Amino acid sequence: MKIAFFEVQDWEEEFLEYFKKEFKDNFFFTKEKLNSFNADNFKDFEIVSVFIYSNLNKECLEKLSSLKFIATRSTGFDHIDTKECKRRKIYVSNVPSYGEKSVAEFTFALILSFYKKILEATSRTKEGDFSINGLMSRDLNEKTLGILGTGKIGTHVAKIAKAFGMKVLAYDIKKNLKGVKYVSLNELLSKSDIISLHLPLNERTKHIINKENISIIKRGALIVNTARGGLIETRALLEGIEKEIISGALLDVLEEEPLIREESQIIDKDFNKKELSSLLFNHILLNKKNIFITPHCAFYSKEAIKKIEETTLINIKRFLAKKPVNLIR
Ligand code: NAD
């Protein structure tokens, strides 16, 4: 069998060693994307592995006449015509999840940095100031955490919160998580000391925190958004800060971020980081002392990236053993 990897990043080359050894001359890798323009060069390859910038549409698949298996190194698969794959009996596997624990931990890293004044304390000692004036912190124990979205990430956030002795309120269309109290959105906003967002962005969730409900939020609450910027109406957030309804906002994502299909897109060169940083720098939010902004990096842990590689390796090995897993049907 011949195997080809496309859109290979520098940090993936080590992971490809296995395939180099196993497939020898039948192994190929490139930084290029796979699409209908170059597919003719790969017509004798049975396995391809791609990321989200390749375009495996009908025209491309027609040219890949030997293709039996696609291993996409992503969760999303809208760059692959899966109907055409089914018609052509081509199996497709993805990486169903990789970063939920990383994002949950990052959420608490943000909360703890803010509550415990870590940034302020460390920058002061670097300047030789060892006084503790103004560094009185706050405890999470007994505080109420309101989680919007108790899916993969929200579930881990709830687990961590409980370990800190926090009370957990939740809001979700599905009430799947045991041990948390599901309440209405307004009740969650009015009773939580910390509000953490873990919802997908769609027509129903866009601006779920907005001008109308910002005033319902418990006075002094902290807002944490590691999900999608569009969940919060930025103007309402600023208003909440200015009126001191909200004591702080910890944002790994911003409303102005261009459309991001999935997190690993951010580490790809094609993602326009310059555009994002100029937006960030122009942004009024950046200048507020009680707003922490991180560059959409909650998912980006060594372990999460390793999981993408490990899952892809398993996907390919299991296909070769005729027992495919993580199939997109
Ligand atoms: P998930 O699909 O597992 O969970 C989402 C939850 O939201 C589900 O429980 C669902 O029932 C609920 N939900 C959907 N629509 C709703 C609505 N209209 N009202 C109430 N609840 C609704 O998703 P996840 O993997 O936990 O990810 C959550 C968010 O985090 C996503 O927006 C994702 O893109 C984002 N994310 C961010 C990073 C990062 O690096 N910052 C990394 C991974 C994911």
Side-chain angles (χ1 to χ4, degrees), residues 103 149-153 171-174 198-200 202 204-205 226-228 252 263 296 298-299:
V103 179
T150 50
K152 293 188 285 291
I153 298 169
Y171 170 77
D172 197 300
I173 36 171
K174 295 181 202 147
H198 304 287
L199 293 167
N202 56 41
R204 291 173 67 192
T205 59
T226 57
R228 286 292 180 265
D252 187 45
E263 272 54 44
H296 200 141
F299 74 100

Side-chain angles (χ1 to χ4, degrees), residues 172-225:
D172 197 300
I173 36 171
K174 295 181 202 147
K175 297 176 178 52
N176 287 344
L177 187 60
K178 292 204 176 90
V180 300
K181 189 178 173 200
Y182 282 96
V183 293
S184 69
L185 178 61
N186 284 357
E187 187 175 346
L188 183 143
L189 297 180
S190 64
K191 291 188 174 162
S192 302
D193 300 297
I194 300 172
I195 297 160
S196 194
L197 290 103
H198 304 287
L199 293 167
L201 179 63
N202 56 41
E203 316 81 66
R204 291 173 67 192
T205 59
K206 187 171 184 310
H207 291 176
I208 197 159
I209 296 188
N210 53 52
K211 270 209 313 222
E212 274 70 51
N213 63 18
I214 202 92
S215 53
I216 300 172
I217 290 177
K218 183 174 176 179
R219 210 161 183 84
L222 178 66
I223 292 191
V224 193
N225 189 6

Side-chain angles (χ1 to χ4, degrees), residues 168-295:
V168 179
L169 296 179
Y171 170 77
D172 197 300
I173 36 171
K174 295 181 202 147
K175 297 176 178 52
N176 287 344
L177 187 60
K178 292 204 176 90
V180 300
K181 189 178 173 200
Y182 282 96
V183 293
S184 69
L185 178 61
N186 284 357
E187 187 175 346
L188 183 143
L189 297 180
S190 64
K191 291 188 174 162
S192 302
D193 300 297
I194 300 172
I195 297 160
S196 194
L197 290 103
H198 304 287
L199 293 167
L201 179 63
N202 56 41
E203 316 81 66
R204 291 173 67 192
T205 59
K206 187 171 184 310
H207 291 176
I208 197 159
I209 296 188
N210 53 52
K211 270 209 313 222
E212 274 70 51
N213 63 18
I214 202 92
S215 53
I216 300 172
I217 290 177
K218 183 174 176 179
R219 210 161 183 84
L222 178 66
I223 292 191
V224 193
N225 189 6
T226 57
R228 286 292 180 265
L231 295 172
I232 303 178
E233 190 180 358
T234 308
R235 272 207 286 167
L237 181 72
L238 279 169
E239 199 184 303
I241 296 265
E242 267 148 29
K243 290 187 175 164
E244 294 180 1
I245 302 168
I246 300 163
S247 62
L250 316 177
L251 312 171
D252 187 45
V253 286
L254 292 175
E255 199 177 354
E256 291 80 358
E257 273 185 76
L259 186 70
I260 292 165
R261 281 192 282 173
E262 65 180 84
E263 272 54 44
S264 16
Q265 195 171 353
I266 294 166
I267 34 187
D268 190 274
K269 283 189 273 313
D270 284 16
F271 180 76
N272 196 341
K273 282 184 197 156
K274 265 199 186 141
E275 187 188 324
L276 181 58
S277 69
S278 71
L279 276 166
L280 280 174
F281 283 113
N282 289 333
H283 208 289
I284 190 167
L285 288 174
L286 260 183
N287 300 319
K288 300 253 176 216
K289 207 177 161 201
N290 49 352
I291 299 187
F292 290 4
I293 293 175
T294 48

Side-chain angles (χ1 to χ4, degrees), residues 1-6 8 12-29 45 47-50 69 71 73 308-320:
M1 286 228 182
K2 291 187 89 168
I3 186 166
F5 286 79
F6 297 85
V8 172
E12 287 180 302
E13 288 188 23
E14 205 182 312
F15 142 78
L16 293 183
E17 281 304 315
Y18 168 82
F19 299 98
K20 237 182 242 175
K21 275 191 205 132
E22 286 294 309
F23 287 82
K24 298 188 176 75
D25 292 343
N26 291 327
F27 165 78
F28 173 84
F29 80 98
F45 280 76
I47 302 173
V48 298
S49 176
V50 294
F69 182 55
R73 304 190 299 287
I308 295 180
E309 296 176 348
E310 282 173 357
T311 309
T312 303
L313 182 63
I314 291 170
N315 288 348
I316 295 171
K317 280 186 174 176
R318 291 288 298 261
F319 167 75
L320 291 169

